[in-house]
Amino acid sequence: MNATPYRDSSNMAGQEDPVQREIHQDWANREYIEVITSSIKKIADFLNSFDMSCRSRLATLNEKLTALERRIEYIEARVTKGETLT
């Protein structure tokens, strides 16, 4: 008699053994996690870029508003004193 255990040919033909199935499932899970992680990184990069862009634009607007406020205060002071604006 042969000492090696008999393996069913149907198992070799199309079915994976449980260990191989677990390995394939593990790889599929790892690939899925990699896709999710990559997507989260892209979203975080976009949000950081958007934040910097907004901060820059708001700083520019703040400078313009400050200049306008100073100009209004100057004009109000001249009008209060009765000076002409020309």
Side-chain angles (χ1 to χ4, degrees), residues 47-61:
L47 290 174
N48 285 329
S49 174
F50 182 75
D51 175 62
M52 293 302 292
S53 174
C54 288
R55 287 177 189 263
S56 173
R57 291 178 183 198
L58 286 171
T60 301
L61 284 175

Side-chain angles (χ1 to χ4, degrees), residues 43-85:
I43 291 169
D45 289 344
F46 166 76
L47 290 174
N48 285 329
S49 174
F50 182 75
D51 175 62
M52 293 302 292
S53 174
C54 288
R55 287 177 189 263
S56 173
R57 291 178 183 198
L58 286 171
T60 301
L61 284 175
N62 188 46
E63 290 172 7
K64 289 179 180 180
L65 283 172
T66 301
L68 286 172
E69 288 170 345
R70 287 185 192 145
R71 190 166 181 200
I72 288 172
E73 288 172 1
Y74 172 75
I75 292 170
E76 285 175 342
R78 288 188 65 183
V79 168
T80 301
K81 287 183 176 180
E83 299 177 8
T84 60
L85 296 176

Side-chain angles (χ1 to χ4, degrees), residues 12-14 16 21 25 29 33 37-38 41 44 56 59 65 80:
M12 290 181 179
E16 298 175 350
R21 193 174 312 119
Q25 185 62 45
N29 288 341
I33 289 169
T37 301
S38 175
K41 286 179 181 176
S56 173
L65 283 172
T80 301

